[in-house]
Amino acid sequence: AQHNAIITYNQMVVGMHEYYNMATMICADVHKLFPSIDITMKTRLNDRQSLTKEVPDKRKGGMDEYFYQKYQKSKQLRFVNGMVVVPVAYCKTCNPMCHSPTVNRYTPEGREEIHKMLLKDAYAEVLLQLGRDSSIEESIEFCDNRLARFVAVKGKCEISKQQLRFDDVACHRFIPKEQGGTDEYKNLRIIHTEVEQLIFATDVNTIQMLLESTKCKESANLTKLNKWRINVGREPINLITLKQSLK
């Protein structure tokens, strides 16, 4: 209930910022709201909850990560039991941009301009190929959510952070189908095909080779990888034990 309440508050503040950020004096106006909200939070939460400026090691879910990335530069950012509380006063004026009449989907020239805009992103071409690659073995929900997840991670592997080519893309179910895993967005992960092999691998030589090629030996990457291996019923990788096994 507490998490849902904070998420609702955050969504309301972000919505307000997005709606009013073209107003010239929006920064001054939202700063008038901050003192009363700050005092209320300190009064009501300090005795019962953990209200802090310290950034937690891990955010709670995708929404919290989004809020953190959007507002992490603000000195007014606070956390309640590890959950992000969006700073109401952190809103900057954005200049309204006129829509170019040449960019539209109704003429060949307009569509060409749209394609040029999309190709500015490194993953746009791969996204187009994924959109055309609807496997008959997978559900429509899976194919749609794979695209959404790919866009959310900007075409990068969620463990190694490597930019993916079309042939490198694997869409992994965090909870396997055999264990009741679904095709919902929250259960899908975009990773490199070699990283997916590493999640299921049991041969020590194969594991060593894949660790080197995928840069998963780094501490943070290995921790995440081991969590996913446990989920599919594989033993976590211990680098010391692995090295001894290779001798």
Side-chain angles (χ1 to χ4, degrees):
Q2 182 197 66
H3 189 229
N4 290 337
I6 292 177
I7 289 290
T8 301
Y9 165 80
N10 288 340
Q11 290 174 334
M12 179 190 70
V13 174
V14 172
M16 180 184 71
H17 288 175
E18 295 291 342
Y19 187 80
Y20 290 107
N21 65 359
M22 292 183 189
T24 309
M25 299 298 292
I26 183 61
C27 186
D29 289 338
V30 291
H31 265 79
K32 295 176 184 177
L33 300 173
F34 177 71
S36 60
I37 292 176
D38 190 49
I39 291 170
T40 301
M41 281 199 300
K42 288 177 180 176
T43 303
R44 294 187 179 183
L45 299 178
N46 267 351
D47 293 338
R48 295 174 292 172
Q49 309 292 343
S50 173
L51 179 66
T52 178
K53 295 181 182 179
E54 297 297 323
V55 180
D57 295 331
K58 185 178 179 182
R59 260 69 66 190
K60 297 188 177 182
M63 289 297 290
D64 263 28
E65 183 62 29
Y66 165 75
F67 296 139
Y68 176 71
Q69 294 296 334
K70 187 176 178 67
Y71 293 97
Q72 60 179 316
K73 293 181 181 179
S74 174
K75 294 180 180 179
Q76 300 160 352
L77 190 64
R78 299 290 185 273
F79 300 88
V80 176
N81 293 342
M83 294 176 284
V84 176
V85 179
V86 171
V88 69
Y90 192 76
C91 184
K92 298 180 179 179
T93 302
C94 293
N95 294 326
M97 304 298 290
C98 294
H99 175 70
S100 173
T102 60
V103 180
N104 64 77
R105 57 181 179 173
Y106 304 108
T107 65
E109 296 80 10
R111 290 192 289 273
E112 183 65 27
E113 289 297 321
I114 292 174
H115 294 155
K116 286 180 182 178
M117 291 169 65
L118 287 173
L119 288 173
K120 289 179 182 177
D121 293 321
Y123 59 88
E125 188 176 342
V126 181
L127 180 63
L128 185 62
Q129 290 177 285
L130 281 177
R132 293 171 176 168
D133 181 48
S134 298
S135 173
I136 58 173
E137 298 177 0
E138 300 291 356
S139 66
I140 294 174
E141 182 185 20
F142 176 90
C143 294
D144 286 348
N145 287 331
R146 177 179 62 174
L147 288 177
R149 190 83 191 185
F150 186 83
V151 172
V153 299
K154 297 183 179 180
K156 294 181 180 180
C157 173
E158 295 190 46
I159 289 183
S160 68
K161 306 304 178 186
Q162 179 182 353
Q163 193 74 49
L164 300 174
R165 298 173 300 177
F166 174 69
D167 293 335
D168 297 332
V169 177
C171 189
H172 173 75
R173 291 180 180 86
F174 185 66
I175 300 175
K177 264 189 172 182
E178 311 83 69
Q179 299 175 21
T182 66
D183 293 339
E184 292 178 287
Y185 174 86
K186 65 182 180 181
N187 192 45
L188 302 184
R189 303 290 187 274
I190 297 296
I191 52 177
H192 195 288
T193 51
E194 289 188 349
V195 174
E196 186 172 50
Q197 293 174 38
L198 190 51
I199 292 172
F200 292 95
T202 54
D203 179 73
V204 290
N205 291 304
T206 303
I207 290 173
Q208 176 65 19
M209 179 188 70
L210 291 172
L211 280 175
E212 295 290 347
S213 63
T214 58
K215 299 180 181 179
C216 285
K217 290 181 76 172
E218 297 176 13
S219 178
N221 294 348
L222 186 59
T223 299
K224 183 179 287 189
L225 174 69
N226 280 335
K227 184 177 179 181
W228 295 15
R229 280 178 63 87
I230 292 169
N231 258 28
V232 298
R234 299 292 188 272
E235 290 290 326
I237 298 170
N238 185 303
L239 295 180
I240 297 175
T241 306
L242 179 67
K243 188 175 181 180
Q244 292 172 345
S245 302
L246 290 169
K247 290 181 178 179

